[in-house]
Amino acid sequence: MNQMSTARATESNTQMVGERTTRISARKVNIYYGEKHAIKDLSIEIPDRSVSAFIGPSGCGKSTFLRAINRMNDTIEGCRLTGEVRLDDKNIYDKDVDVVQLRSHVGMVFQKPNPFPKSIFENVAYGPRIHGLAKNKTDLEEMVVASLKKAGLFEEVKDRLDAPGTGLSGGQQQRLCIARAIAVNPEVILMDEPCSALDPIATARIEELIDELRQNYCIVIVTHSMQQAARVSQLTAFFHLGTLVETGDTNSMFTNPRDKRTQDYITGRFG
Amino acid sequence: MPDHIVKAYDLDIQSLKTMLAEMGGLAEEQLHNAIIALTKRDVTLADLVIVRDEKLDQLERQIEEKAILTIAKRQPMALDLREIMVAIRVAGDIERIGDLAKNTAKRTHAITEPLPRRLSPGLTRMGQMAQAQLKNILDAYSHGDDVKALAVWRADEDLDALYNSIFRELLTYMMEDPRNIGLCTHLLFGAKNLERIGDHTTNIAENTYYLVHGKTIGEDRPKKDVTAMMSTSDLK
C-alpha cells in the first residue's frame, strides 16, 4: 500500500470539511446487489479525526455504504460498485489495491462482538502478527497492551490476558474487538451499530471510548439510535432509499434539519 | 407535518399547546381587567385579578412538568425539541405577564384620588397597545406565524415611545405639586409594568421565530425606552 502512504503525505492535496481535513471522499458511488440499486449516486466527504454518523431507516443503504469503505462488499456475490471511494488520494477500488492491506488501514467493528475463539492476548496480537508489524515478542506485547489501554479494557483484563476472549462480558468483548481493530494502526475505524447488542452502561463506555478515539482516528459509525448519533458524532449523514438525503454538522442536524425527510425521520414520523 | 408513529407523542405535544392556549387566554383577560381596574379604580375587579393569578402560576407548573416528562420519555429532536423548549419559555413569559398584570391591579388599592384627566387617555392607550401586542403574539405563536411575530417584535418600539411620554408627564405632575407624588409613583409603576409586558411579548416573538426557523432573529430589536437615562432637567 505504498501509493496510499505516499498520497497520505501529500498535504497540499488535502481538502477541508469545515475545519477538518478530508480523509475519505466518495464520488458518484453506485452500488448494486444484482438488479437491486442499493446506493444511488452518492458523494460525501468524511473528515479526519472526528466521528461521522450514518443514520436512516433499515434498508436505506447506510451499512452497504459503510462496508464499501473497506471493500467488505467484495465478498458478496453479485455486488458491484461504480464511482470512486478515495482514502486520502487513493481510490480504494483501483486494481492495484491490496484488499488485505486496505483493511489494515480501515478497521471494522461489528454489531455483535465477534472475538476469535482465542485468548484475549491473541485476539489483539493477531493483526500485528499477520501484518508483520512487531519486531519481536516484547514489541508485540507492548502493542497488545497499548491497544487494550486505548480501548479502555486493559485495567479490567490485565490479570487474565490468557483467558478466552469469548469469556468476557458483551461490552468487554466489544471493546476487545475495538482493541483488535486499532492494534494494526488503522487510520479509519468503521463501526456498524457497535452498541446495539449492549446494555446502557456498556454502551456509555463505548461512547466514551469513541469520543477518545476520535482524537486520533477517522471514525464512521452506523447507528439506529438517533440519540447516539447526536451524542457521539460531529457530522451526520441521513440516508433514505439508497440516497444520501442530507449531510451536516450534527448539532444543527438534530435541532434544525434542512430536508423534510430528515425532519420526519429523526422526529419519529416515518420509519 | 405528518403525525408521529407513536400517537401518544402527538397527544403529549397537543396537551402542551392546549395548556398554553388556556394560559394565553387567561393572561389576556387578566391584563384587560387590570387596566380597567387601575384606570377606573375598581377594587373589586382588582381583587379578582389578584386571586386569579394563582391559576396562571399553576398552569405554568403543569406545562413545565409535562414538558420535562415529554423530554424524558420521547427524547424529542428537531422541530419537536424546539416546540417543547419554546413552550417552556413562552409559559415563563406568560406567567411574568400575569405577575405584572397582578401588580398593576394591586396598585388600584393604593390610589385614592381620581386620575389626572389629561393622563388617563395616555395610560388607557398604553394599556390597549399592550393588550394588542399580547393578543397578536399569542396568535402568531399558536399559528407558528413568523411574519406576524416579527411585526409584534418591531411594534414594541411604539409601546416604548408611549411609555417615554407618560414618564415625562408623570414627572411633570410630580414637579408641579408634591401632593401628586404618591399617585404618580403608582401610575409610573403601572406604566412600567405595561412596558415590561411589551418586552415579554417580544420574547415570545423571538421564540416563535426560533420555533419556525430553528435560528434566532439575526438583528437587534429596535428600542425606544430612554427613561433609564432621563432626569427632571430633561423636561425643560
Side-chain angles (χ1 to χ4, degrees), chain B:
Chain B
M1 184 65 55
D3 290 346
H4 287 100
I5 298 163
V6 179
K7 288 188 190 67
Y9 194 171
D10 286 322
L11 294 179
D12 285 341
I13 289 185
Q14 193 48 51
S15 100
L16 273 177
K17 286 182 174 167
T18 308
M19 282 191 280
L20 269 157
E22 188 185 350
M23 220 187 153
L26 185 55
E28 276 188 72
E29 210 178 314
Q30 288 283 86
L31 177 58
H32 177 76
N33 287 339
I35 292 163
I36 294 180
L38 185 71
T39 50
K40 305 256 191 269
R41 288 185 301 132
D42 181 342
V43 288
T44 321
L45 192 57
D47 286 340
L48 181 70
V49 173
I50 294 164
V51 172
R52 289 178 75 189
D53 184 57
E54 175 54 31
K55 178 70 184 162
L56 279 179
D57 296 351
Q58 198 188 326
L59 276 166
E60 192 207 7
R61 282 194 297 274
Q62 283 172 4
I63 288 169
E64 247 178 44
E65 279 165 24
K66 184 78 194 174
I68 287 171
L69 199 62
T70 308
I71 293 172
K73 276 200 293 192
R74 317 276 177 212
Q75 286 102 48
M77 289 284 190
L79 181 63
D80 295 327
L81 181 58
R82 303 206 298 272
E83 188 92 65
I84 292 168
M85 293 315 295
V86 167
I88 297 174
R89 291 193 214 139
V90 169
D93 278 312
I94 299 178
E95 191 275 331
R96 288 297 298 146
I97 289 173
D99 285 349
L100 292 163
K102 178 172 98 171
N103 183 276
T104 307
K106 261 187 187 170
R107 294 180 188 277
T108 309
H109 284 284
I111 298 172
T112 46
E113 52 281 78
L115 259 52
R117 197 176 295 153
R118 273 187 293 158
L119 194 61
S120 191
L123 258 184
T124 310
R125 171 102 190 84
M126 204 180 163
Q128 284 165 348
M129 212 187 262
Q131 283 182 72
Q133 284 284 85
L134 180 59
K135 181 184 183 309
N136 288 337
I137 199 55
L138 291 172
D139 281 355
Y141 169 59
S142 69
H143 295 111
D145 184 342
D146 57 325
V147 178
K148 195 167 184 177
L150 272 177
V152 170
W153 189 70
R154 296 216 167 85
D156 185 58
E157 231 185 345
D158 302 336
L159 197 58
D160 284 352
L162 195 52
Y163 173 61
N164 289 337
S165 73
I166 288 175
F167 186 94
R168 293 166 71 97
E169 250 179 279
L170 285 166
L171 277 193
T172 312
Y173 284 123
M174 289 192 253
M175 283 163 72
E176 275 170 11
D177 186 347
R179 280 174 301 178
N180 287 335
I181 289 178
L183 167 71
C184 289
T185 305
H186 282 299
L187 293 180
L188 192 55
F189 273 108
K192 181 70 195 167
N193 287 344
L194 296 175
E195 190 274 329
R196 289 292 301 144
I197 286 173
D199 290 345
H200 285 290
T201 65
T202 66
N203 286 350
I204 302 177
E206 284 164 10
N207 278 307
T208 303
Y209 187 91
Y210 173 72
L211 175 65
V212 176
H213 295 281
K215 57 184 182 195
T216 50
I217 302 174
E219 54 182 298
D220 286 336
R221 183 161 62 85
K223 285 183 183 137
K224 276 215 178 129
D225 175 8
V226 293
T227 56
M229 310 282 281
M230 206 183 274
S231 78
T232 48
S233 56
D234 295 324
L235 297 174
K236 285 158 195 145

Side-chain angles (χ1 to χ4, degrees), chain A:
Chain A
M1 186 120 298
N2 280 334
Q3 298 97 325
M4 204 167 269
S5 315
T6 326
R8 228 168 269 137
T10 346
E11 286 295 319
S12 57
N13 284 341
T14 50
Q15 292 183 42
M16 302 292 280
V17 182
E19 295 289 300
R20 306 179 185 91
T21 47
T22 298
R23 184 110 247 178
I24 301 158
S25 165
R27 283 176 213 153
K28 295 197 178 300
V29 170
N30 285 279
I31 301 177
Y32 306 83
Y33 292 120
E35 290 298 300
K36 188 178 156 49
H37 196 173
I39 290 286
K40 295 164 189 161
D41 215 21
L42 181 147
S43 296
I44 188 173
E45 306 272 302
I46 297 173
D48 194 19
R49 289 168 200 272
S50 63
V51 181
S52 301
F54 292 174
I55 60 167
S58 295
C60 66
K62 57 191 188 302
S63 290
T64 297
F65 179 64
L66 186 81
R67 294 157 60 89
I69 301 174
N70 73 350
R71 292 186 55 175
M72 291 278 292
N73 294 328
D74 287 13
T75 53
I76 299 172
E77 213 179 296
C79 181
R80 62 197 171 85
L81 177 144
T82 64
E84 281 186 348
V85 179
R86 291 186 167 270
L87 175 61
D88 298 313
D89 274 346
K90 179 70 181 164
N91 182 5
I92 63 169
Y93 284 87
D94 278 354
K95 288 207 166 58
D96 60 352
V97 170
D98 173 351
V99 176
V100 176
Q101 280 296 323
L102 169 72
R103 289 182 192 147
S104 78
H105 291 269
V106 185
M108 183 126 183
V109 176
F110 298 88
Q111 184 172 358
K112 254 186 90 190
N114 56 351
F116 302 136
K118 289 172 182 283
S119 71
I120 294 169
F121 183 91
E122 282 305 317
N123 259 281
V124 185
Y126 182 80
R129 195 175 278 144
I130 62 159
H131 288 288
L133 298 180
K135 291 194 287 286
N136 50 45
K137 197 161 170 282
T138 328
D139 200 22
L140 184 65
E141 279 170 11
E142 278 169 10
M143 279 180 175
V144 170
V145 171
S147 302
L148 285 169
K149 278 184 177 163
K150 276 190 210 162
L153 187 62
F154 185 68
E155 286 305 313
E156 292 162 55
V157 300
K158 62 182 175 192
D159 301 326
R160 46 175 172 147
L161 291 177
D162 292 330
T166 46
L168 297 171
S169 74
Q172 288 172 328
Q173 286 188 25
Q174 196 62 304
R175 279 179 281 147
L176 179 62
C177 294
I178 293 174
R180 187 177 65 189
I182 58 187
V184 292
N185 267 326
E187 284 93 41
V188 180
I189 304 174
L190 308 176
M191 298 187 174
D192 195 353
E193 295 183 54
C195 301
S196 59
L198 305 182
D199 75 6
I201 306 280
T203 298
R205 291 230 168 82
I206 299 284
E207 288 183 7
E208 171 66 16
L209 176 59
I210 291 173
D211 206 45
E212 281 167 22
L213 292 176
R214 81 174 158 94
Q215 314 298 334
N216 298 305
Y217 302 93
C218 163
I219 298 175
V220 187
I221 178 171
V222 162
T223 174
H224 272 139
S225 161
M226 239 86 69
Q227 278 70 31
Q228 180 167 67
R231 285 191 300 261
V232 302
S233 73
Q234 289 74 51
L235 180 112
T236 299
F238 172 59
F239 289 68
H240 185 46
L241 301 172
T243 311
L244 177 62
V245 173
E246 184 174 350
T247 316
D249 163 59
T250 297
N251 289 345
S252 51
M253 196 82 158
F254 287 107
T255 55
N256 193 17
R258 293 186 301 269
D259 195 283
K260 188 179 174 302
R261 287 168 290 178
T262 318
Q263 171 101 266
D264 284 353
Y265 179 68
I266 65 173
T267 58
R269 285 178 165 88
F270 77 76

